[in-house]
Amino acid sequence: MTDVFISYARSTERHAVRVAEALREAGFGVWRDDELPAHRNFTRVIEERLAAAKAVVVIWSSDAAQSEWVQSEADRARRDKKLVQVRVDKTPLPMPFDRLQCVDLCDWAGGCEDHEWSKVVAGVSDLTGDAAMTPPLAAPTAMVGASIAVMPFSNLSNDPEQQYFVEGMAEEIVAALARFRSLHVIAASATLMARGRPLTPQEAARELGVGYLLEGSVRKSGARVRITVHLVDAASGTELWSERFEDDTGDVFALQDKVAERVAGVAENAVQDADHGKAATRATQDLSSYDLYLRSLYLFRASRRRELLESVDLLERAIAGDPDYAAALAHACVNLRQIVDHGWTDDPDGARAKALGYAERALRLAPNDHSVLAMVAASLPGIEGYMDRALTLIDRATALNPASGFAWLISGSIRLRAGEPDTAAIHLERAMQLDPLSSMNGYMRMYLASARFQQRRFSEALALFRTTTYRMPVSYAILASLHGHLGQAAQARQALAELEALEAGSVEKFADIWFPRPEYRALLLGGIAAALAPAAAPG
């Protein structure tokens, strides 16, 4: 039995081929009409394959919307509750398919780690009952943190014909929430309906891979409508927020927009506040130490001598207030590593010894805390001088929490320092998918720019640097070399001037620390040399 039947218009065959290849790569059996046997009636073969498939992926386009064949196949799939819809252009879907969830693949380049594509794989997996075979370095299916599923809304009206309004309201809320980049949003209607059984909030969240659920009900009577929504923490079943909206239906679309925007704004804040609260309660019970820790984080991001020395002082005061504060111990290690790397101490051996002492204490106190492991791993290459233990710790951190953008960020940075830019780029891309908006995302793009530089993808590297103001001192050395390779001598000299102003060490020192492999060291220094070479006299 074939897992997936693909329905499409002939003009979008290249899209169908790409979808089929990506599904096969994910481990599904796929059939499309290029496999029609020459000796049989093609209509009968299509009917057999359509009936036997566990999931039907319909690729909507302008031609598909006009095709009786595609509409017939889509209608049968909808009737059999095995429809997965994608669109490859902006043509409106025909009725009644415009009332169902449809994944937007208009900008999809064929990558298996693309966020929109992951929705297709998840839908097919739900219908076939089989998990896709995830590539070793693919983003995890399950989401944590600010991830939310909009559940099917209940129709409390006496008139079952009002179901279209109820479903439309849920879809408008999904669309509004999706505009907030800090939220991972999925529409749960199709996936849960396919299971055909009631689920508790905890079960639904576990199967959908989210941390929060948005539930709702709609009661429409005459010209009045009442909409009630609830945001639920799926792990505990606790209601975080609820609100009731009531208005007339003179302008249905305006009402839908009003409710959707209100829900989106409140839900984003409620989800993030709940996540921050959970994070805050785990580290320490000493509020003074916690305050010092937060202040140190703010200073650390400056990556300058004065701020880092002050950050270390704050962390040592936090540790004095709570000697078992593992996060503060681990972050002190990272601060001290930066200080040693950049020569911002008159006693580097003493700073290394202190940092190693903090590292060992942090690991004893929190051996299974992925963030502590990641911070200690980030510090070890600079304070211990070896890479093996750092790699072991960061691999353990990502295994403990594969949905932590922070852990994948640190993994990418360590891989860069180990001379593995290809692996670093994959890990940093995963980090960016998991954490698209926080301040950490700026660091992710900075490190990914460095990886692209080492991959000799200079234009991409420069574009990434331009998207973030986050700069470690080594970034200016890489920027200078990058401009040199691109023939931009003035910009290269400006980057070198900014590096010199930081008093953070020479380009040669950064080459020793961050570019251990000879070919990457030569790449860095070669770009600098090109930028500083005298301009040729006009001939």
Side-chain angles (χ1 to χ4, degrees):
M1 181 182 293
T2 302
D3 289 325
V4 186
F5 178 103
I6 297 182
S7 174
Y8 63 102
R10 186 59 54 192
S11 60
T12 57
E13 184 168 15
R14 63 185 181 88
H15 295 92
V17 170
R18 187 183 302 166
V19 167
E21 289 175 348
L23 286 171
R24 289 187 181 110
E25 188 174 335
F28 299 106
V30 179
W31 188 90
R32 64 184 186 89
D33 61 6
D34 65 324
E35 302 176 33
L36 285 168
H39 65 285
R40 293 194 59 198
N41 181 289
F42 74 90
T43 303
R44 184 168 299 173
V45 173
I46 289 174
E47 289 179 348
E48 290 173 357
R49 291 290 187 173
L50 187 61
K54 299 176 183 177
V56 177
V57 175
V58 175
I59 302 175
W60 289 111
S61 64
S62 57
D63 288 340
Q66 301 297 320
S67 169
E68 293 184 4
W69 282 101
V70 174
Q71 290 199 38
S72 176
E73 291 163 356
D75 191 59
R76 186 170 301 189
R78 182 178 66 90
R79 182 196 67 194
D80 294 341
K81 293 184 173 58
K82 55 185 182 184
L83 174 63
V84 177
Q85 300 190 120
V86 305
R87 66 192 313 159
V88 294
D89 64 27
K90 298 300 185 181
T91 302
L93 274 59
M95 294 181 62
F97 305 103
D98 58 344
R99 290 289 180 181
L100 304 175
Q101 181 71 11
C102 183
V103 179
D104 189 340
L105 295 185
C106 294
D107 299 322
W108 182 52
C112 292
E113 295 182 10
D114 181 88
H115 178 61
E116 292 300 307
W117 176 250
S118 69
K119 298 178 185 177
V120 179
V121 174
V124 171
S125 297
D126 287 333
L127 293 168
T128 61
D130 298 318
M133 294 191 307
T134 307
L137 293 173
T141 301
M143 297 177 287
V144 296
S147 54
I148 182 170
V150 178
M151 305 297 285
F153 278 23
S154 300
N155 180 9
L156 302 183
S157 305
N158 294 326
D159 184 4
E161 294 298 320
Q162 296 300 325
Q163 185 63 28
Y164 80 93
F165 182 85
V166 176
E167 293 178 0
M169 179 58 65
E171 290 177 14
E172 286 295 321
I173 291 174
V174 170
L177 287 169
R179 292 197 291 269
F180 291 80
R181 294 184 59 207
S182 58
L183 294 176
H184 296 286
V185 184
I186 65 171
S189 303
T191 53
L192 293 181
M193 190 184 299
R195 291 176 173 83
R197 58 186 176 86
L199 299 175
T200 66
Q202 290 86 347
E203 290 171 337
R206 185 166 54 250
E207 297 199 28
L208 293 168
V210 298
Y212 300 88
L213 303 174
L214 188 71
E215 301 173 332
S217 63
V218 179
R219 182 186 298 276
K220 188 171 181 290
S221 178
R224 300 292 293 178
V225 62
R226 177 184 295 171
I227 301 165
T228 305
V229 290
H230 309 268
L231 184 67
V232 178
D233 181 332
S236 64
T238 303
E239 183 179 280
L240 301 175
W241 166 80
S242 68
E243 191 162 339
R244 187 175 69 185
F245 303 84
E246 190 165 351
D247 209 336
D248 61 60
T249 58
D251 188 340
V252 170
F253 298 119
L255 176 60
Q256 288 183 336
D257 286 343
K258 172 184 172 182
V259 176
E261 292 295 339
R262 171 67 173 152
V263 170
V266 174
E268 183 194 35
N269 292 332
V271 168
Q272 291 183 339
D273 288 348
D275 286 339
H276 294 166
K278 290 174 185 175
T281 59
R282 281 196 299 267
T284 180
Q285 300 303 314
D286 188 310
L287 293 180
S288 296
S289 292
Y290 181 60
D291 180 70
L292 291 166
Y293 177 77
L294 292 181
R295 288 164 57 193
S296 77
L297 292 179
Y298 179 80
L299 292 168
F300 171 79
R301 293 166 187 158
S303 292
R304 293 188 296 264
R305 178 174 185 159
R306 181 179 63 81
E307 285 84 351
L308 273 175
L309 292 174
E310 187 176 347
S311 177
V312 169
D313 178 66
L314 291 171
L315 287 166
E316 291 182 337
R317 288 164 57 190
I319 294 165
D322 181 357
D324 294 337
Y325 195 171
L329 289 161
H331 205 269
C333 298
V334 179
N335 279 257
L336 289 166
R337 188 219 77 192
Q338 288 250 39
I339 288 170
V340 170
D341 275 355
H342 300 119
W344 289 336
T345 173
D346 295 329
D347 183 15
D349 290 338
R352 289 190 185 95
K354 181 185 289 186
L356 279 174
Y358 286 158
E360 299 300 344
R361 283 172 60 186
L363 293 175
R364 285 197 301 271
L365 289 165
N368 296 313
D369 186 315
H370 74 278
S371 61
V372 169
L373 295 178
M375 285 189 281
V376 172
S379 70
L380 287 180
I383 63 175
E384 191 179 48
Y386 300 102
M387 189 63 66
D388 290 348
R389 189 156 75 128
L391 291 171
T392 299
L393 285 174
I394 194 57
D395 286 346
R396 175 166 169 73
T398 54
L400 283 168
N401 188 353
S404 168
F406 176 71
W408 289 110
L409 163 63
I410 299 301
S411 183
S413 70
I414 292 173
R415 258 68 189 197
L416 276 177
R417 195 159 177 153
E420 302 173 9
D422 293 340
T423 302
I426 293 171
H427 289 197
L428 291 164
E429 286 175 331
R430 183 184 294 184
M432 290 168 65
Q433 290 174 347
L434 292 165
D435 183 0
L437 198 62
S438 80
S439 60
M440 287 292 103
N441 190 269
Y443 285 106
M444 295 166 190
R445 283 176 276 139
M446 178 196 72
Y447 279 119
L448 183 58
S450 303
R452 294 294 185 233
F453 169 75
Q454 293 187 44
Q455 293 174 317
R456 298 178 180 270
R457 293 161 63 169
F458 299 142
S459 296
E460 290 182 50
L462 186 57
L464 281 163
F465 270 126
R466 286 172 174 166
T467 67
T468 176
T469 59
Y470 287 94
R471 297 280 189 275
M472 291 177 61
V474 68
S475 301
Y476 293 105
I478 295 171
L479 262 175
S481 180
L482 181 59
H483 285 304
H485 283 292
L486 292 172
Q488 301 164 348
Q491 293 93 322
R493 291 190 175 95
Q494 177 62 33
L496 289 172
E498 291 172 327
L499 174 61
E500 185 177 359
L502 292 173
E503 298 180 346
S506 66
V507 170
E508 288 75 16
K509 180 177 180 180
F510 288 123
D512 291 339
I513 292 173
W514 286 96
F515 295 82
R517 292 176 56 174
E519 63 268 34
Y520 300 132
R521 178 185 173 86
L523 181 69
L524 177 73
L525 298 179
I528 300 292
L532 297 178

